[in-house]
Amino acid sequence: MTDPAPDPSTEPVLRPGPRGLKALVGRLVLAGLPLVFAVSRAIRPILKLPALPFGQKKPPQFIITRYDDVREVFQTDTAFGVPYKAKLDVIMGGEPVFVGMADTPLYRGDLARLREIVRGDDLAALALQSSAQAEHIVAGASGQLEVVDALVRRVTFDVLGAYIGIPHPPGGNLPVWCTRLFEFVFMPSDAQLIADVDRMAPAMRAHIDSELARRRSGGIEGDDLVARALRKQASGEPGWTDAWIRTALMGLIVGGPPQPPMVLPQALEQLLRRAKPLRDAQTAAKRADDALLLRILFEAMRFDPIAPMIPRTAIADWTLAAGTDRARAIPAGSTVMAAIQSAMVDTRRIPDPGTFDLMRLPHEYFLFGHGLHQCFGEHINRAMFPALMRPLLARSNLRRAPGKAGHLAKQGFFPSALTVLFDTAGQDNKPG
Amino acid sequence: MRQTTSSIALEVKPDSEALLLSLIARLDRPDAATQPAMTKTDLLARMPSLHFFSLTVFPRGVFDPLFVIEANFDGPAGPFWPQLEAALGPQLRPMIACCKRPADGCGPLYDAVTAPGSRRDLAPYLQTRAGKPSVYHHGNRGMSRQRVVNEAALFSAVEAELDAAGQVAQTWRILPPADIHARLREKLLPQFAWLAQPAPARKTLGEKLGDWVRLAVLVLAVLVVLTLPGQIAAGLVETDRLVIAFVLLTAIVWGSLLRIAGPLEGTATHGRTNLLNFAWRQIFKILIALAVFFAVAMLVVTPTTVAISHLSWREAVIPSARALGWGIAAMVVIVLPALVLWLRWLERRDSTQDAPTIDEAVMRLMREREDHTPINHMAAMIPLKPGILRTVLVHVGHRGLHLALRVFIKDGYLASMRTIHFAHWAFVNNGARMMFLSNYDLSWETYFDDFIEKAHEGLTLAFGSGEGFPPTRLLIQDGASHGTLFKAWARHSMTVSRYWLAAYTDITSDQIERNFRIAAGLRQPTLTPESAAQWIVDL
């Protein structure tokens, strides 16, 4: 007998994280990862993990920690595929979505079709909406603001939800559904999560289907992605079926908005640990210098990216780092963890990785992955990140709230809360 | 900021030479249909640490063609190769495919980066194939590219400020230097906020110490080797016989040396410095160095004597000193002169090239590329003279020259010239040839005339091991002093710099130092009247 479904209106976005000893071990592992990576880079850069429990027959697992090898994994998509297809099939009802595909004509076709409706000239409006809503929230915060949920998640889901054209479901909560489905696809799952997904995924599909039907029946108004897709469909262009539109839009809303509430609070936490970068960020925000602010946020994210490692599955036998003394055969079926956090501090390729350096070059970052499956929403994030953070960073005397609240808290892999204080009298300094 | 000089020499498949040349040519004239237009400004933005970069193909001769990638940049090499890849990766990959598969363990990496449709990064391959120069010289050591550019901008602003003020009134001319400094600083500080920050050190204490330690180790190693014959003889032969042998050998070596030390007919030049009179001029320094060596070596030789004999520490001191003393004496009086005698014997039999051939087409291509800016590039390849003595001399000599340049050249001046930005020598083709690449100020003629006039001994030392070099005498004499012949030989050794990328083409090495001094002064909130008077000379 299963538990009854929770009330969607009060259901928390994040599931409760582990508690007690498990939570402590989790925190220690995360805190110790940089050291583990450093040792691995020096001694065993292509590290084969023992099968646990010992003796069990499982596909080999490798952790890749050097910059060169991480790039090779991402660039060699003919040998290292994305492992998300099975889970994506669950949430998409078996419809293929580009996030889980290899480099096939279907993949390229889907991506090209998606780019017909997600356009470069949308970015300025997204930035403008993000900053306007963020300013509204910060201005109404009376000098104290919880950043993860009250600012970043709210703005991201509101702006991107409107951009995509998917409203909150009746009786449901879009951030909850998306975050849960995101967690299911990209992170380890437990029984409770699977149960949540079994409930939310069909509901989400049905919600989008009903939206498509509703919008179509109303004469296709507006300029969001739903409207653009329906117009393509109406014009008779091939491929724009309801199933394809639903799957593509669901891919966007599940894969996109849950990420900024992870990375931006983590970036702010990194800034709060460093006086000069925080000062620089505030100066850039006050001057509305979004290009500089983006560089600052990216550099902060390098110290704590969205995940320390990104998984790939070996779909063919491959010798990684061939021709070097660390070359290692990776058999097909292996799980390969590309440690992006490690690669971005590899002194062999990254100059002074411990320095907060705003002059870093694009190839020194793996914030959005790399290669075939580099994040589709990267350009949207580039536009929205500085716009979203600018109103808060422009406030004078930005600082941590006292006590634990002032430090980034996490539930599992997700940031859950970070409260900051600022001077309301300094609101004269907000950008124009 | 430490700079790195590196070159990658790759043997070209003979039937791919023409393709390689056309691929390089396309860098300057990209085909808009197949390649996005990439200006040099774009490339330099993608390689922010780069100072100078060149691609050269040395034509076939005794060897197959050699493709050389030269890079001079800030910081260590590891982070630079991905920068190069990000800037020029798609263009470099087919060029590398025109080169031979390395026969060593690097073959699989070559296969990986040159396979059709390969996505493997070039950076690991470039890094693996990058050679270490035998000698390099940085005329403005420690000046990062950003700093060179920033301080040049500051200089322009200073000039503009003084010009503008001069047009309005003559106020600047009547001000004392310290006031001019104060006014300029006040005017320029808002525009150049970095003037308020302390200047980064051009050389760290660690770098300086490292240079000295490496030089000391080399000198010590050479002295140990050269004193070994005397030390071994002292251990094997009684003193009276040793004296007789010493006298006899001295007479034979010096007699022979003095007999053949003079120039061969028609080869003498105006150059008067040779190894013997140079050593004589340095006699006090040499004596002090030998005394230091004696003291240091005693710390090693005495315990060794104790370990291999039954002598006590006290008893071991005298025999150790005796062996070491004989070693040093034999080195100075017999071993070194014998080596010079051997060298002179070889020099007298060297073949020289009295009329080096210069391909007119190649010459035209070289000239077409020269003198477009105050800074030029040259690339030369020199086959090395054979024989064990020459091989040892050129390798040890280059190591010593390199370390001496690092230790003793503090302001970029070689002799009285400061015309080199980045230059280096490197051995290629398994040590059979020596490559020289230079990014220098002024025209080629002036650059070489200056060196021939003011540093012909150094040139002879550096290039004298090259086949066909003008006749030399006792390692450093004559040689490059045959000015016209040397220049013809140098042109003959050169080839076209097919592609050259410079982060700054109008700031000479001298000007960089001048800008540095002006900036250093302006970084100071105030100057004393004396230092201001000195500082203002650069304005």
Side-chain angles (χ1 to χ4, degrees):
Chain A
M1 189 166 164
T2 55
D3 292 332
D7 175 3
S9 58
T10 59
E11 195 172 2
V13 174
L14 301 181
R15 299 190 304 136
R19 291 172 182 279
L21 185 63
K22 201 173 172 184
L24 178 68
V25 170
R27 280 202 300 274
L28 287 176
V29 167
L30 278 180
L33 267 183
L35 179 63
V36 173
F37 287 152
V39 173
S40 167
R41 283 196 304 273
I43 297 171
R44 190 55 74 99
I46 303 172
L47 180 66
K48 185 178 180 184
L49 295 182
L52 291 175
F54 287 108
Q56 201 175 58
K57 276 276 178 197
K58 285 169 77 174
Q61 291 189 48
F62 295 88
I63 296 182
I64 315 301
T65 51
R66 282 200 190 168
Y67 174 94
D68 286 353
D69 302 338
V70 166
R71 275 179 67 92
E72 187 181 346
V73 167
F74 284 136
Q75 286 168 184
T76 319
D77 53 76
T78 48
F80 301 104
V82 284
Y84 311 123
K85 184 178 182 310
K87 287 186 170 183
L88 284 167
D89 282 348
V90 172
I91 70 166
M92 301 297 182
E95 290 290 332
V97 61
F98 69 96
V99 182
M101 292 182 198
D103 188 6
T104 56
L106 180 64
Y107 169 86
R108 288 174 183 269
D110 278 9
L111 218 54
R113 204 176 294 133
L114 205 51
R115 287 194 180 117
E116 287 179 40
I117 55 170
V118 180
R119 301 172 194 145
D121 51 14
D122 297 336
L123 300 179
L126 287 173
L128 208 61
Q129 289 160 21
S130 301
S131 62
Q133 193 179 349
E135 174 58 37
H136 177 71
I137 291 169
V138 174
S142 307
Q144 175 168 338
L145 182 66
E146 193 289 300
V147 176
V148 179
D149 199 61
L151 176 66
V152 182
R153 183 170 290 123
R154 194 172 139 198
V155 173
T156 309
F157 273 94
D158 285 356
V159 171
L160 287 180
Y163 174 62
I164 295 171
I166 299 178
H168 284 286
N173 183 318
L174 200 59
V176 175
W177 286 11
C178 292
T179 306
R180 209 70 98 242
L181 296 178
F182 176 89
E183 183 179 0
F184 171 71
V185 173
F186 297 106
M187 293 171 194
S189 312
D190 57 27
Q192 181 59 52
L193 181 60
I194 291 168
D196 285 351
V197 168
D198 286 344
R199 175 168 54 89
M200 292 172 183
M204 177 77 117
R205 291 198 298 271
H207 172 55
I208 298 175
D209 281 341
S210 70
E211 270 305 299
L212 294 179
R214 184 184 69 78
R215 296 286 295 274
R216 199 165 26 228
S217 66
I220 317 180
E221 288 177 353
D223 191 35
D224 52 29
L225 299 190
V226 168
R228 291 174 189 176
L230 288 177
R231 284 192 197 103
K232 292 273 181 193
Q233 186 184 56
S235 70
E237 287 191 36
W240 294 88
T241 63
D242 270 9
W244 187 89
I245 295 170
R246 180 230 302 144
T247 306
L249 298 183
M250 192 163 159
L252 288 184
I253 200 149
V254 168
Q259 296 191 51
M262 298 173 77
V263 294
L264 288 177
Q266 288 176 188
L268 182 59
E269 168 67 31
Q270 293 299 320
L271 289 177
L272 289 166
R273 293 178 188 180
R274 295 169 173 83
K276 181 170 184 311
L278 178 61
R279 212 165 44 240
D280 291 344
Q282 294 206 257
T283 306
K286 285 172 184 169
R287 292 180 185 158
D289 185 346
D290 280 2
L292 175 60
L293 190 51
L294 182 66
R295 287 213 304 273
I296 296 170
L297 291 171
F298 273 18
E299 182 62 356
M301 286 158 61
R302 190 175 63 86
F303 289 94
D304 190 7
I306 187 161
M309 298 180 276
I310 293 179
R312 289 289 184 266
T313 301
I315 51 180
D317 291 343
W318 185 259
T319 302
L320 195 60
T324 70
D325 54 7
R326 64 180 186 282
R328 185 145 197 178
I330 309 284
S334 305
T335 297
V336 174
M337 304 299 292
I340 57 169
Q341 187 177 10
S342 172
M344 288 191 288
V345 296
D346 184 354
T347 48
R348 288 161 195 81
R349 298 291 182 223
I350 310 295
D352 292 327
T355 305
F356 199 99
D357 182 357
L358 300 182
M359 301 307 287
R360 294 200 185 280
L361 298 165
H363 67 261
E364 292 168 4
Y365 292 100
F366 291 98
L367 299 174
F368 298 99
H370 177 64
L372 183 71
H373 284 283
Q374 186 153 338
C375 179
F376 179 82
E378 178 178 348
H379 295 293
I380 293 175
N381 288 335
R382 283 175 178 273
M384 284 180 65
F385 282 6
L388 200 161
M389 295 302 285
R390 194 193 323 129
L392 175 65
L393 286 166
R395 263 43 186 196
S396 294
N397 197 18
L398 181 69
R399 60 201 186 276
R400 294 180 189 278
K404 272 183 154 183
H407 291 81
L408 184 71
K410 285 194 170 184
Q411 284 178 217
F413 291 101
F414 291 89
S416 56
L418 170 63
T419 303
V420 291
L421 306 179
F422 49 87
D423 291 352
T424 49
Q427 287 185 355
D428 288 341
N429 294 322
K430 72 192 178 193
Chain B
M1 167 64 83
R2 196 180 129 196
Q3 274 96 39
T4 301
T5 288
S6 195
S7 54
I8 301 167
L10 305 170
E11 288 184 60
V12 180
K13 297 172 195 164
D15 55 357
S16 298
E17 184 185 8
L19 173 61
L20 175 61
L21 291 174
S22 73
L23 289 170
I24 297 173
R26 263 185 240 167
L27 289 176
D28 275 325
R29 295 182 291 279
D31 177 0
T34 57
Q35 266 178 289
M38 179 86 80
T39 64
K40 290 194 170 179
T41 310
D42 294 333
L43 291 175
L44 289 166
R46 290 179 182 211
M47 294 186 278
S49 64
L50 182 77
H51 288 257
F52 296 97
F53 174 82
S54 74
L55 299 175
T56 306
V57 179
F58 288 98
R60 70 189 73 199
V62 178
F63 296 93
D64 283 332
L66 198 69
F67 175 43
V68 175
I69 304 170
E70 175 209 6
N72 302 282
F73 48 87
D74 294 325
F80 174 73
W81 301 122
Q83 280 184 30
L84 178 58
E85 167 140 33
L88 279 171
Q91 289 82 3
L92 281 177
R93 195 182 296 276
M95 293 183 201
I96 289 169
C98 291
C99 300
K100 293 182 193 173
R101 183 182 193 271
D104 58 14
C106 207
L109 197 49
Y110 170 89
D111 296 338
V113 298
T114 57
S118 169
R119 298 174 188 175
R120 181 78 187 272
D121 278 348
L122 293 176
Y125 184 72
L126 297 173
Q127 180 160 356
T128 309
R129 303 297 294 169
K132 202 174 171 187
S134 55
V135 181
Y136 62 79
H137 174 62
H138 298 160
N140 306 102
R141 186 173 173 186
M143 291 293 287
S144 70
R145 169 173 147 190
Q146 194 58 51
R147 190 167 176 183
V148 169
V149 172
N150 285 350
E151 293 184 358
L154 175 72
F155 176 78
S156 299
V158 168
E159 267 193 322
E161 192 61 46
L162 292 176
D163 285 351
Q167 284 165 12
V168 175
Q170 295 295 315
T171 47
W172 292 94
R173 294 185 187 281
I174 57 168
L175 286 175
D179 288 0
I180 293 177
H181 168 269
R183 281 198 184 193
L184 275 177
R185 182 175 153 83
E186 188 189 345
K187 288 250 181 195
L188 295 171
L189 203 52
Q191 194 184 342
F192 299 93
W194 50 266
L195 284 175
Q197 295 158 8
R202 289 177 62 169
K203 276 190 281 185
T204 62
L205 183 62
E207 278 180 80
K208 289 179 203 167
L209 280 176
D211 291 340
W212 272 105
V213 167
R214 279 187 285 273
L215 182 62
V217 166
L218 177 75
V219 170
L220 205 62
V222 169
L223 288 175
V224 166
V225 170
L226 293 176
T227 55
L228 273 182
Q231 290 195 63
I232 292 169
L236 298 175
V237 184
E238 295 298 323
T239 303
D240 49 354
R241 291 184 181 187
L242 200 57
V243 171
I244 293 169
F246 189 85
V247 171
L248 274 176
L249 283 172
T250 303
I252 291 168
V253 169
W254 280 94
S256 307
L257 183 57
L258 292 175
R259 193 166 58 81
I260 65 170
L264 292 173
E265 190 182 345
T267 63
T269 61
H270 64 280
R272 299 203 176 279
T273 302
N274 61 41
L275 269 188
L276 299 177
N277 60 30
F278 176 77
W280 182 248
R281 284 204 299 270
Q282 309 293 324
I283 190 67
F284 289 111
K285 288 180 188 168
I286 291 172
L287 287 175
I288 290 168
L290 290 176
V292 171
F293 171 67
F294 181 85
V296 172
M298 277 295 285
L299 299 175
V300 178
V301 174
T302 308
T304 309
T305 309
V306 171
I308 63 172
S309 68
H310 300 294
L311 300 176
S312 66
W313 282 92
R314 181 172 290 183
E315 291 165 338
V317 170
I318 298 295
S320 301
R322 175 180 173 274
L324 204 51
W326 276 111
I328 291 172
M331 174 184 74
V332 173
V333 182
I334 300 171
V335 178
L336 276 173
L339 289 174
V340 174
L341 173 66
W342 185 5
L343 175 69
R344 183 63 192 142
W345 185 80
L346 292 172
E347 285 176 344
R348 288 163 62 92
R349 282 153 185 77
D350 276 340
S351 298
T352 58
Q353 202 169 4
D354 294 340
T357 52
I358 298 174
D359 184 322
E360 281 307 315
V362 172
M363 189 69 194
R364 194 169 57 247
L365 285 173
M366 283 195 277
R367 287 210 187 280
E368 276 174 7
R369 286 163 165 77
E370 287 171 7
D371 298 335
H372 290 281
T373 66
I375 307 177
N376 281 302
H377 182 261
M378 69 164 282
M381 183 66 78
I382 301 138
L384 290 172
K385 290 172 182 168
I388 186 165
L389 180 65
R390 281 292 180 27
T391 303
V392 170
L393 269 182
V394 75
H395 280 86
V396 176
H398 270 218
R399 184 71 187 147
L401 178 62
H402 171 71
L403 293 173
L405 287 175
R406 301 296 283 174
V407 168
F408 298 117
I409 304 300
K410 294 190 166 63
D411 51 6
Y413 276 104
L414 291 174
S416 56
M417 294 153 294
R418 187 162 53 198
T419 49
I420 291 178
H421 291 263
F422 289 85
H424 79 274
W425 284 265
F427 298 113
V428 294
N429 296 114
N430 207 16
R433 295 198 290 177
M434 180 172 74
M435 179 172 73
F436 177 65
L437 300 165
S438 181
N439 300 273
Y440 61 93
D441 292 329
L442 312 173
S443 70
W444 185 86
E445 295 282 343
T446 316
Y447 171 59
F448 265 69
D449 283 342
D450 255 10
F451 268 88
I452 290 167
E453 180 67 25
K454 297 167 184 166
H456 45 88
E457 296 93 351
L459 280 184
T460 307
L461 178 69
F463 290 105
S465 295
E467 285 279 20
F469 191 75
T472 59
R473 189 164 26 128
L474 298 177
L475 198 61
I476 58 172
Q477 203 171 3
D478 301 334
S481 299
H482 297 276
T484 309
L485 187 55
F486 170 63
K487 277 163 64 178
W489 177 85
R491 270 293 190 198
H492 159 80
S493 309
M494 285 171 60
T495 194
V496 184
S497 302
R498 297 280 167 181
Y499 181 77
W500 185 58
L501 185 62
Y504 38 90
T505 51
D506 55 354
I507 316 171
T508 62
S509 182
D510 243 356
Q511 185 64 38
I512 289 172
E513 293 302 322
R514 183 184 177 196
N515 296 346
F516 165 74
R517 291 191 299 271
I518 291 170
L522 286 171
R523 283 178 195 268
Q524 307 296 325
T526 54
L527 290 181
T528 62
E530 296 76 29
S531 40
Q534 201 176 353
W535 171 79
I536 207 166
V537 171
D538 278 315
L539 300 187

